[in-house]
């Protein structure tokens, strides 16, 4: 069952574009969740580095290396999140534009249908005025 008119085609495109938008939002949410977990790991390491427990003091070099790796990963995720945020905005803008075009197409189609209905009424009125209602009224 293929779409019949422009508005139905655009409606399908809007649905696809909204799906792409949701996918981009899910990617962004995953990145934000990963950054939050990374931040928690960094907090744990900072707590361990600042601890007075002798075991932690001996492991401070390992902790600092681990913290450095986490910082690098945090910077990468931050850059990724900015790219994903712009992607979400881009996909949303595309979907909004398509939705506006779909509404315009529906309005145009409704206007065209109304115009055609009026033209049909005018044609019927002209046709009925041109032909006599009964053969009794015809001149011999």
């Amino acid at each position: 069952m293929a779409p019949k008119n422009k508005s139905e085609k655009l409606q399908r495109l809007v649905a696809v574009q909204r799906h792409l938008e949701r996918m981009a939002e899910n990617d962004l949410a995953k990145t934000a969740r990963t950054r939050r977990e990374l931040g928690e790991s960094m907090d744990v390491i900072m707590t361990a580095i600042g601890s007075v427990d002798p075991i932690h003091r001996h492991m401070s070099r390992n902790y600092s290396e681990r913290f450095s790796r986490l910082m690098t990963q945090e910077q990468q995720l931050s850059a990724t999140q900015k790219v994903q945020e712009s992607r979400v905005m881009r996909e949303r803008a595309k979907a909004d534009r398509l939705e506006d075009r779909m509404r315009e197409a529906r309005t145009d189609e409704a206007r065209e249908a109304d115009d055609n209905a009026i033209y049909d009424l005018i044609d019927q009125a002209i046709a009925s005025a041109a032909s006599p209602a009964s053969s009794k009224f015809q001149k011999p």
Side-chain angles (χ1 to χ4, degrees), residues 101-118:
R101 288 182 187 162
M102 178 191 66
R103 287 188 191 118
E104 290 171 6
R106 281 185 180 166
T107 302
D108 292 345
E109 290 165 359
R111 186 177 305 124
E112 183 180 356
D114 291 344
D115 289 349
N116 288 338
I118 290 173

Side-chain angles (χ1 to χ4, degrees), residues 12-78:
R12 290 185 69 212
L13 285 175
V14 167
V16 168
Q17 192 61 44
R18 291 294 180 196
H19 183 72
L20 291 173
E21 178 185 350
R22 283 191 304 275
M23 287 172 51
E25 287 173 346
N26 288 338
D27 290 344
L28 178 60
K30 181 181 176 186
T31 301
R33 185 174 47 253
T34 303
R35 280 188 75 193
R36 188 175 48 253
E37 291 168 357
L38 193 64
E40 291 170 0
S41 295
M42 290 169 67
D43 289 343
V44 168
I45 290 175
M46 287 305 292
T47 303
I49 289 174
S51 174
V52 293
D53 192 353
I55 291 178
H56 291 299
R57 279 189 278 159
H58 292 295
M59 302 286 289
S60 64
R61 182 169 178 238
N62 292 335
Y63 290 150
S64 65
E65 290 172 0
R66 173 77 175 139
F67 189 79
S68 176
R69 286 191 303 269
L70 290 176
M71 283 295 291
T72 302
Q73 193 175 1
E74 162 65 24
Q75 291 169 349
Q76 291 171 345
L77 284 174
S78 176

